[in-house]
Amino acid sequence: MENSVNLSPLKNLRADVPAAVVVALVAMPLCLGVALASGAPLISGLIAGVMGGLLVPLFSRSHLAVSGPTPAIVATVLVAMQVLPSFSAFLLAVVIAGGIQIVLGIIRAGVVAYFFPSAVIQGILSAIGIIIILKQFPYAIGFDLGEFGSQDFISAHGENTFSGVIAALAHLEWGALLISVLTLSILITWDKVAVLRKQTWLSGPLMAVVFGTLLNALLLYAVPDLAVSGHNLVNLPIIHSFADLRGMLQMPDWGMIGSKTVWVTAVALTFIASLESLLSIEAADKLDIFKRRTPLDRELLGQGIANVASGLIGGLPVAAVIVRSTANVAAGARTKASAFLHGLFLLFAVLFLATLMNQIPLAALASILIFVGFKLAHPSIFKRMFRLDKSQYLPFVITIVAILFSSLIIGVVVGLLTGVFFVLKANYHSAIEIGREGSAYKIALNREVTFVNKARLSHILERLPKGAEVILDGEHVGFIDHDVLEVIRDFERSAPLREIRLREQGFDAPVLKAPV
């Protein structure tokens, strides 16, 4: 399909510009939410959003991923703010983390992402979809949890994902619900009607925001009691002059360069931001209808440069973020121009349109994210996964449950360990097969036989009856671990004592007969 479509950024502005506007609108409260939850200045979240949008696309080769501050770093930032003497010292850790990422990109460390099984990646996407729906539901009905865009099960305010939903039901605001219903109706209609779906400049999410904002303005004029206000609207800091902006910016404290705590914080930020970025890239590539692949080393390089720039002027750490990236795909983006323009629009809005942007109801943005979440966790995905064997659907399910009840990073680690377990289990059984060839027992060693298979081979050889005839077949073996060779040689020595007649075939004799 890619060969039949011109994917030049300039040729796809009709799709990328509306997507960029939508992603910028979604990114604003997410940037503010991450900063607020982290205990950092609000402007630091917006700086990270702008730097991630403007710089990462220039150095990364990702087509659809969108970068900015990620909820995954909230816990680390909260701890850092307590153990470091100042926010300026934390900014130094951000700069160092960016430098480490640049080095990782140069030494080609991005290959680590290829070790994530596809079932785990699919589980991450579905889990994020479910989390988006649950976390955004309170905002869709007018209840402000104070952590728009959070992904962790336990919030900083003590609520968990499910208690937040229950608490929201007790604080339902009918005006917010009305805006959400209208927004979702527009999104569903746009997605189902072919004529509307083909409109590029007027995308469904963009029109949903426009109409949701206009509806709230109408309610404010006609039925003020129903209109949403205060914390239920986007809340950008208003910059009246260049002096205001300059006063908000902070610089790193270079005097802390020798601090062990700063370096420990930098390493933690590097790990979290890099892992989230690589996972987000893998997820975005899976959602790409043109099936393009992103060079992961270049992604680490781009993220590192953006983090250095963000830390130098007072911003939070930057990473490719799954929520923004999937919203970008859902909004119809085709090239990296969308991510860059989202950063440009975010900067323009912060500098010149804060008053206008502050009229947008969070309910409208929450409904867009809920619609995105439903697509990520669509029932058809679960049906497809459950048609596969348990080595696929169990890592998928376990990854979802682990992310839902902990955090993205912990859930990913649990899912990865589950995937590795099933790989080892499959190798454990398939590397060694036992059958009969006439009256003889035939033990076939297949592919690579490693120390993982030592116990199974020992168990098989020990259970052979006295006086048996045994064929040890290595015709299809590619590699035999030293530990396994020891087991075979021990069996060669003990076989005559058990009156077992052993015949070996398909082995390289010098290898098998070499002394231990």
Side-chain angles (χ1 to χ4, degrees):
M1 181 182 293
E2 185 174 351
N3 293 332
S4 61
V5 179
N6 189 331
L7 293 175
S8 164
L10 292 177
K11 296 290 185 181
N12 288 277
L13 290 178
R14 287 176 61 89
D16 290 333
V17 171
V21 174
V22 171
V23 177
L25 292 174
V26 169
M28 287 177 198
L30 293 181
C31 292
L32 295 170
V34 171
L36 183 65
S38 302
L42 291 181
I43 193 66
S44 65
L46 295 170
I47 291 171
V50 172
M51 291 297 102
L54 294 180
L55 294 181
V56 175
L58 297 180
F59 298 94
S60 166
R61 291 180 183 170
S62 174
H63 302 281
L64 297 173
V66 181
S67 300
T70 169
I73 54 95
V74 167
T76 304
V77 178
L78 280 172
V79 172
M81 296 290 281
Q82 294 173 359
V83 298
L84 292 173
S86 65
F87 185 65
S88 294
F90 172 76
L91 293 178
L92 178 60
V94 176
V95 174
I96 295 172
I100 296 174
Q101 284 183 306
I102 292 173
V103 173
L104 291 176
I106 293 173
I107 65 174
R108 302 183 180 280
V111 68
V112 68
Y114 292 120
F115 291 95
F116 287 90
S118 59
V120 174
I121 297 295
Q122 189 62 67
I124 293 169
L125 286 172
S126 297
I128 291 295
I130 295 171
I131 288 174
I132 288 173
I133 293 171
L134 294 174
K135 289 288 191 180
Q136 297 306 311
F137 176 77
Y139 295 95
I141 63 174
F143 181 59
D144 178 23
L145 286 173
E147 291 188 345
F148 190 93
S150 171
Q151 296 173 4
D152 290 346
F153 180 67
I154 303 293
S155 74
H157 301 287
E159 297 279 3
N160 63 49
T161 302
F162 300 106
S163 68
V165 171
I166 295 172
L169 292 172
H171 297 83
L172 187 150
E173 291 194 13
W174 292 103
L177 180 61
L178 183 61
I179 292 170
S180 297
V181 170
L182 171 69
T183 304
L184 282 172
S185 299
I186 292 173
L187 291 169
I188 294 170
T189 302
W190 224 274
D191 192 55
K192 296 295 184 183
V193 179
V195 175
L196 295 176
R197 195 166 57 243
K198 292 178 181 178
Q199 300 297 316
T200 51
W201 288 108
L202 300 176
S203 67
L206 179 58
M207 298 311 298
V209 170
V210 171
F211 280 101
T213 305
L214 290 176
L215 175 59
N216 192 53
L218 179 62
L219 291 176
L220 191 62
Y221 175 77
V223 193
D225 291 340
L226 279 181
V228 298
S229 58
H231 292 296
N232 290 320
L233 299 173
V234 171
N235 187 25
L236 291 179
I238 298 177
I239 299 173
H240 297 286
S241 65
F242 181 75
D244 288 344
L245 177 62
R246 187 173 57 185
M248 294 180 179
L249 301 180
Q250 297 190 48
M251 306 300 169
D253 182 359
W254 296 102
M256 296 291 294
I257 192 68
S259 168
K260 178 182 176 181
T261 307
V262 167
W263 282 90
V264 170
T265 302
V267 171
L269 293 176
T270 302
F271 172 76
I272 295 171
S274 299
L275 182 57
E276 169 125 359
S277 293
L278 295 176
L279 291 173
S280 298
I281 292 299
E282 285 289 292
D285 285 350
K286 278 188 173 293
L287 296 173
D288 185 2
I289 62 173
F290 300 107
K291 303 305 176 187
R292 293 163 292 187
R293 298 291 296 174
T294 300
L296 299 178
D297 302 321
R298 284 293 295 267
E299 183 63 29
L300 286 176
L301 179 66
Q303 296 294 335
I305 292 171
N307 271 312
V308 170
S310 182
L312 285 174
I313 60 173
L316 290 176
V318 170
V321 187
I322 295 179
V323 175
R324 289 181 182 84
S325 301
T326 51
N328 191 39
V329 175
R334 287 192 167 197
T335 75
K336 63 167 62 180
S338 174
F340 178 82
L341 290 172
H342 127 273
L344 202 60
F345 291 152
L346 193 57
L347 176 62
F348 188 78
V350 170
L351 294 179
F352 306 110
L353 299 177
T355 301
L356 179 61
M357 295 297 104
N358 287 344
Q359 304 305 310
I360 299 174
L362 288 180
L365 300 178
S367 296
I368 293 174
L369 291 174
I370 288 173
F371 189 70
V372 170
F374 179 75
K375 286 193 170 186
L376 286 176
H378 198 279
S380 63
I381 296 172
F382 287 81
K383 291 179 182 178
R384 185 176 74 250
M385 294 302 297
F386 280 111
R387 291 194 192 103
L388 304 175
D389 60 69
K390 63 181 181 181
S391 66
Q392 296 297 311
Y393 71 72
L394 280 180
F396 170 75
V397 172
I398 291 172
T399 299
I400 291 174
V401 173
I403 292 176
L404 280 177
F405 289 94
S406 58
S407 66
L408 178 64
I409 300 299
I410 293 175
V412 167
V413 171
V414 171
L416 180 60
L417 292 176
T418 305
V420 170
F421 168 78
F422 279 102
V423 169
L424 294 177
K425 183 179 179 183
N427 178 265
Y428 180 80
H429 289 286
S430 64
I432 302 174
E433 297 178 352
I434 182 169
R436 299 298 290 263
E437 187 173 291
S439 60
Y441 291 93
K442 183 176 182 178
I443 302 171
L445 307 183
N446 303 317
R447 302 192 305 271
E448 286 75 32
V449 185
T450 68
F451 71 93
V452 174
N453 310 110
K454 178 180 177 180
R456 175 169 166 78
L457 180 61
S458 298
H459 184 66
I460 290 173
L461 296 176
E462 288 170 1
R463 296 188 63 182
L464 290 171
K466 183 178 180 179
E469 181 181 355
V470 178
I471 301 171
L472 192 60
D473 183 11
E475 183 177 353
H476 300 292
V477 74
F479 167 79
I480 303 180
D481 197 311
H482 178 79
D483 289 352
V484 177
L485 284 177
E486 281 189 324
V487 172
I488 294 174
R489 290 167 189 151
D490 288 342
F491 179 68
E492 289 172 343
R493 288 190 284 265
S494 65
L497 302 177
R498 298 165 57 187
E499 300 178 9
I500 291 176
R501 299 182 302 280
L502 175 63
R503 178 157 50 98
E504 296 168 351
Q505 64 184 36
F507 288 101
D508 183 352
V511 172
L512 201 59
K513 299 300 182 182
V516 177

